[in-house]
Amino acid sequence: MLHCPKCGSLSFDFDGEKLYSCKQCGYQFFFNAASAVGALIVKEGKLLTGVRANNPGQGKLDIPGGFVDPGESLEEALERELQEELSIRPSSMKYFSSGSNYYLYEGVEYITCDAYFICKIDSFEGMKASDDISEYRWVTLSDINLDEFAFHSAKQAVEKLGLFT
């Protein structure tokens, strides 16, 4: 940001971490982390993954999920994302882990706080890849290559999942 959103001054400085401050009017803007969610779905020793359709990380593996919209809970966002990306609904979800991430999108680097849930799906009938994923893959836990995942927090969650399964 170049201009102060309150007074329009060009004296809107970034501290390099999270705070923008206006030298003209004293306004402060905090650049906080965006929330995102992911579903860890394991069936018969295999993890459900998606292949990213777009950048960042196009063509790499990801955990089904996405950003939390304003006004949504983490659980509501995860239900919506699973419906949008795979046309499935979780019958249960339990918080598992979280991690920080950097998400470069159209030249802007967003800092995210990603929350992962263990999800149970009663039916995979009608499951199809859409929205942000080009295809889905069931990956055997023992065969997972963490380097194939697009994001650091997903790698951490999958690695931790491997320790407990």
Side-chain angles (χ1 to χ4, degrees):
M1 286 193 272
L2 298 175
H3 297 273
C4 173
K6 185 174 180 182
C7 73
S9 168
L10 279 171
S11 62
F12 202 50
D13 296 328
F14 184 56
D15 72 356
E17 187 176 327
K18 66 177 181 177
L19 177 63
Y20 286 88
S21 300
C22 181
K23 292 179 183 174
Q24 180 89 16
C25 71
Y27 176 76
Q28 294 183 320
F29 174 81
F30 291 88
F31 184 64
N32 295 315
S35 299
V37 290
L40 297 165
I41 302 166
V42 177
K43 179 182 172 187
E44 300 171 0
K46 295 181 179 183
L47 176 67
L48 180 60
T49 64
V51 176
R52 291 193 52 80
N54 306 304
N55 280 318
Q58 184 176 16
K60 291 194 156 230
L61 294 181
D62 200 2
I63 300 301
F67 285 101
V68 178
D69 287 342
E72 282 184 319
S73 69
L74 298 175
E75 294 83 358
E76 289 168 338
L78 191 53
E79 286 184 38
R80 175 184 51 75
E81 287 287 346
L82 287 173
Q83 184 62 40
E84 288 174 1
E85 291 183 351
L86 294 166
S87 299
I88 58 175
R89 294 197 181 277
S91 56
S92 69
M93 60 178 77
K94 182 178 179 182
Y95 174 79
F96 176 70
S97 171
S98 67
S100 182
N101 220 18
Y102 292 94
Y103 189 91
L104 184 62
Y105 181 71
E106 295 196 7
V108 177
E109 187 173 62
Y110 296 88
I111 299 167
T112 66
C113 181
D114 304 338
Y116 292 93
F117 292 80
I118 302 283
C119 293
K120 182 178 178 199
I121 309 295
D122 289 336
S123 173
F124 294 96
E125 187 175 332
M127 183 167 72
K128 63 180 188 275
S130 58
D131 194 36
D132 293 337
I133 61 173
S134 59
E135 65 179 282
Y136 66 85
R137 293 182 189 161
W138 288 99
V139 182
T140 303
L141 287 171
S142 60
D143 294 339
I144 287 176
N145 177 353
L146 294 176
D147 292 332
E148 293 178 359
F149 283 84
F151 302 111
H152 178 71
S153 65
K155 291 176 188 181
Q156 287 181 316
V158 170
E159 185 173 41
K160 186 175 180 183
L161 179 68
L163 298 174
F164 294 103
T165 56

